[in-house]
Amino acid sequence: MNICLNEWLGTTNATEGVLFLQIATIRPHNNAGFLSSSPAIPQSFNQQSYGVQTWDSHNGSSSIDVGNNKNNTPHRATDLFIAVSLCAEENKRKIIDLASEAMNELKKVAMEEPPLWSIDLDKDIEMLNNIEYMKEIANAKTAIAEILRLIKVKDYTPLPSSPRSNKASNDVLSEAPSQDDDLLHTEGTRETGHVGVKPTKLVELLMDSKQWSQVFSKIVSRAKVLRVLASTGILQQNYEGTVQVMGAEFYGPTPQIPTREIYFARYCKRFCQSMWGVVDVSLETLFQFPSAKRIEKRPSGCLITEMPDGGSKVIWVEHVQVDDGFVHKIFEPIVNSGFAFSAKRWFSILAQHCALMAPCTPIVDGEPGIRSILNLSERMMGSFVSEINAYATNEWKELPVPKANGDSTLMMTKTNKDDPGMPTATTVVFASSALLPATPKQVFDFLSSENSRSEWDILSQGHYHQEIARITTSQYPGNHLSIFQVNSTPDNIEAMYLQRCYTDSAASYVVFAPLDITTVSSVLSGENSDFVRILPCGFVILPDVSKMRGGIASGSLLTLALHIVDDVTAAGQRIAPDSIDLMYRIITDAVSKIKDAMA
């Protein structure tokens, strides 16, 4: 039931994370439109009938699947193909050999100095020199093939074509070179930094697929382990020598960037007492996948070295070949430059997570209400990032309305039947992206402030906004959780919003969802928030790399997503044209007002 308060008494202490609430009088209020929801928790991937060992990410057992697979069946034909192929001993040996060679290459590439690596001063990102890679790292066959390709297309830009395995050249599973390889381009980046976590903890995070997919949920949309080929004791967190075959789907935080589906081997090696390595390498050199995805992961991963202070030095390398021909034009610079999926972005997320692993203040640990509201905000953020991307189950469509040239507004409908955290109805997500003439920080500060909401939100105009609670969620400035109160008059509360703000060196998020007062008070009293209906909306802010100088972008890429329940659609009918037109005008009007505010 949705209710309003005649009286709301609250005091907050944002510094210590303390929040006290007292509810005096409540009365019914018709704000059904503010009820919210979250997507269903996916079921575990199950291929045991095919002889495949998997690791369930949601029930704590030793296998994983993360994504939208509710039928315990293979996600794609490729999953089954790999599953059956892994049963052959010859294929296991080839994969283990491939992983070992990849680890050697990763160590060499990660430790190498210029000219193999150079810093792009404008983007403040370390880039791989592809010509030097061909000369120093790649095998002779790959280098010759690249030279022939360059001659053929009369293009001497270093865009290496896919390397092929010498050992697999006569195998029926090997993939013959394709004339479409000319469409692939290389993205190679490196990031070096320090985190305050021991190497063994980082190794466990990377080798435990459940932790890995959860920590990097802003990049990983779905992941699964098909089989562990070699291990010295994975259940005892001893990952030295472990080789596991995985499938994963990576996404950009917008439906305008196609997802990247990869099948790869992940291998962990301890070089010495103080250094570990974890490497991923694509299996396309060994298997001809029944998949249209055009991406291959060259040896990528990280070297982790223990430091005297108990923390770790991390050298992260991302190196892929990919066809990005279907990226929307406004996102082409950030994707083609390698920034969207760069090592910088992966390390930024890792650093944020490691900062959160530091001991919390006693007041947060000791307050069930604070912990419950944090859990709810994490579920809200997870729901938002899972729905804003372009993976297979998110069927985005162009809106059937007249649009301006270059408009990027899309629509997606989703039906929920099983998740008690969502309404049993069909919901509709509208997403639109735009270029803004302001730095990502300026856009983030504007959108995260309660003082500016009425400038872009048509439903908030003429209302009073007040932030009644704030909890700092990270050592990074700007990362916090807020509860907002929206009043139509000083004494009449129309709605409340839960808002989570996240920012790092590569991307920023402002995610919010409306909640009724009874729900807020029950969660803050410590009740379980797992079944609270929450329907997230929000923003993703990326730098416009075409306007970066000295690592600072003077422009931003903004994606806005609004999530609603439509009564007509919930009844099993098509969404009404009037509803589409209304939501299109609301979302484009919001983007237009944000542009004007940033001008």
Side-chain angles (χ1 to χ4, degrees):
M1 182 178 69
N2 300 303
I3 57 175
C4 275
L5 289 185
N6 282 339
E7 187 176 356
W8 174 268
L9 302 176
T11 59
T12 65
N13 185 324
T15 303
E16 296 180 352
V18 185
L19 188 149
F20 302 98
L21 297 175
Q22 178 182 352
I23 297 181
T25 307
I26 62 176
R27 60 178 175 81
H29 179 71
N30 182 21
N31 63 339
F34 294 120
L35 276 182
S36 48
S37 58
S38 69
I41 297 175
Q43 302 295 317
S44 58
F45 179 78
N46 185 353
Q47 288 183 319
Q48 293 183 4
S49 61
Y50 305 108
V52 177
Q53 183 177 4
T54 61
W55 305 85
D56 188 348
S57 66
H58 295 292
N59 62 21
S61 64
S62 54
S63 282
I64 170 129
D65 175 70
V66 173
N68 291 329
N69 181 28
K70 299 181 180 180
N71 301 317
N72 290 331
T73 56
H75 285 279
R76 292 170 173 76
T78 310
D79 299 349
L80 178 57
F81 178 85
I82 294 294
V84 175
S85 300
L86 288 174
C87 296
E89 289 298 323
E90 177 67 12
N91 291 336
K92 293 180 185 178
R93 182 189 61 79
K94 288 181 178 181
I95 292 171
I96 291 173
D97 289 345
L98 178 68
S100 179
E101 293 172 5
M103 181 65 78
N104 294 334
E105 177 173 321
L106 173 68
K107 185 177 182 182
K108 184 175 182 180
V109 170
M111 304 293 288
E112 196 68 45
E113 299 295 333
L116 185 64
W117 293 99
S118 60
I119 297 178
D120 185 324
L121 296 177
D122 284 338
K123 300 179 182 64
D124 190 27
I125 190 171
E126 202 166 13
M127 308 290 293
L128 182 70
N129 185 312
N130 296 320
I131 294 296
E132 292 297 325
Y133 173 82
M134 287 296 170
K135 289 166 52 180
E136 299 182 20
I137 309 297
N139 60 41
K141 183 178 179 180
T142 301
I144 292 173
E146 174 60 12
I147 293 172
L148 293 176
R149 189 195 70 82
L150 292 175
I151 294 174
K152 174 184 174 183
V153 300
K154 298 181 181 180
D155 179 5
Y156 298 95
T157 304
L159 302 176
S161 56
S162 305
R164 307 293 167 187
S165 170
N166 289 330
K167 294 188 296 181
S169 59
N170 296 318
D171 195 281
V172 294
L173 292 174
S174 64
E175 181 180 354
S178 167
Q179 62 182 357
D180 293 333
D181 285 347
D182 295 341
L183 299 176
L184 302 183
H185 78 274
T186 298
E187 298 173 7
T189 57
R190 178 173 69 174
E191 185 75 4
T192 302
H194 180 274
V195 296
V197 175
K198 292 182 178 180
T200 52
K201 284 292 184 183
L202 294 182
V203 168
E204 179 183 346
L205 183 157
L206 296 170
M207 296 302 295
D208 181 337
S209 295
K210 176 182 178 181
Q211 291 189 58
W212 175 70
S213 57
Q214 288 177 344
V215 169
F216 295 102
S217 61
K218 294 179 179 64
I219 299 178
V220 181
S221 58
R222 112 187 141 87
K224 58 186 172 292
V225 170
L226 291 170
R227 174 161 291 209
V228 178
L229 301 182
S231 176
T232 56
I234 195 169
L235 296 181
Q236 291 75 39
Q237 284 75 49
N238 179 11
Y239 296 100
E240 158 64 15
T242 297
V243 178
Q244 55 195 32
V245 175
M246 303 178 63
E249 193 170 59
F250 307 108
Y251 72 97
T254 169
Q256 302 289 1
I257 299 177
T259 56
R260 298 178 171 188
E261 181 188 359
I262 308 177
Y263 291 84
F264 58 94
R266 175 166 292 178
Y267 171 42
C268 175
K269 179 177 180 178
R270 190 169 192 170
F271 293 102
C272 60
Q273 186 67 25
S274 61
M275 177 182 285
W276 293 79
V278 177
V279 68
D280 296 340
V281 60
S282 183
L283 297 179
E284 275 81 356
T285 57
L286 300 179
F287 298 92
Q288 184 176 1
F289 298 144
S291 171
K293 300 294 184 181
R294 300 289 297 156
I295 181 169
E296 294 184 18
K297 181 180 279 285
R298 287 174 171 173
S300 304
C302 58
L303 298 183
I304 306 167
T305 304
E306 187 170 7
M307 303 303 290
D309 62 359
S312 301
K313 175 185 177 182
V314 178
I315 304 176
W316 197 295
V317 173
E318 283 296 314
H319 190 189
V320 301
Q321 280 198 305
V322 63
D323 175 9
D324 282 325
F326 296 98
V327 176
H328 190 279
K329 63 180 182 179
I330 69 172
F331 289 97
E332 284 178 353
I334 195 170
V335 174
N336 294 339
S337 67
F339 193 97
F341 296 93
S342 65
K344 185 183 189 72
R345 187 159 176 243
W346 284 88
F347 179 78
S348 294
I349 294 174
L350 177 67
Q352 282 270 28
H353 174 75
C354 291
L356 288 174
M357 293 174 67
C360 296
T361 59
I363 187 66
V364 172
D365 283 343
E367 288 286 342
I370 301 299
R371 180 52 55 193
S372 185
I373 200 73
L374 284 170
N375 290 340
L376 180 59
S377 75
E378 289 170 3
R379 180 158 66 88
M380 176 181 69
M381 178 69 79
S383 175
F384 178 80
V385 298
S386 73
E387 292 179 351
I388 196 64
N389 68 68
Y391 63 67
T393 57
N394 288 352
E395 298 181 2
W396 291 96
K397 301 176 182 178
E398 292 280 350
L399 268 66
V401 297
K403 294 175 289 186
N405 185 33
D407 188 286
S408 62
T409 305
L410 300 173
M411 176 184 69
M412 172 181 65
T413 58
K414 307 193 79 170
T415 301
N416 173 67
K417 296 180 180 179
D418 306 318
D419 187 356
M422 289 187 70
T424 305
T426 298
T427 61
V428 188
V429 185
F430 294 84
S432 186
S433 300
L435 290 165
L436 299 182
T439 68
K441 184 180 186 305
Q442 289 172 325
V443 179
F444 177 78
D445 290 344
F446 174 79
L447 294 174
S448 61
S449 171
E450 79 274 18
N451 296 325
S452 59
R453 188 177 186 96
S454 59
E455 294 187 41
W456 60 266
D457 184 1
I458 189 173
L459 300 178
S460 295
Q461 293 176 1
H463 291 68
Y464 304 93
H465 297 76
Q466 180 185 4
E467 184 183 61
I468 64 169
R470 173 179 290 206
I471 302 171
T472 300
T473 57
S474 171
Q475 298 173 358
Y476 286 70
N479 286 260
H480 62 272
L481 164 66
S482 299
I483 299 175
F484 291 109
Q485 175 179 304
V486 182
N487 289 43
S488 57
T489 67
D491 297 325
N492 186 27
I493 299 174
E494 288 291 329
M496 302 194 73
Y497 282 91
L498 178 65
Q499 180 170 289
R500 185 72 179 261
C501 298
Y502 171 95
T503 184
D504 59 35
S505 60
S508 299
Y509 297 76
V510 178
V511 181
F512 55 89
L515 295 172
D516 61 65
I517 296 170
T518 299
T519 298
V520 173
S521 62
S522 65
V523 172
L524 288 172
S525 68
E527 292 188 18
N528 188 348
S529 63
D530 290 347
F531 302 111
V532 171
R533 296 177 178 181
I534 193 159
L535 196 69
C537 304
F539 302 91
V540 183
I541 307 159
L542 298 172
D544 181 359
V545 299
S546 67
K547 297 181 179 179
M548 288 188 82
R549 299 294 182 271
I552 303 297
S554 59
S556 302
L557 288 163
L558 177 73
T559 295
L560 164 60
L562 299 180
H563 200 166
I564 67 166
V565 176
D566 184 82
D567 293 336
V568 175
T569 307
Q573 304 177 29
R574 288 178 177 269
I575 183 170
D578 289 346
S579 297
I580 294 177
D581 184 66
L582 174 63
M583 287 305 302
Y584 176 69
R585 286 188 286 111
I586 288 175
I587 198 169
T588 53
D589 183 68
V591 172
S592 177
K593 290 181 181 299
I594 294 169
K595 279 185 176 181
D596 292 341
M598 295 289 99

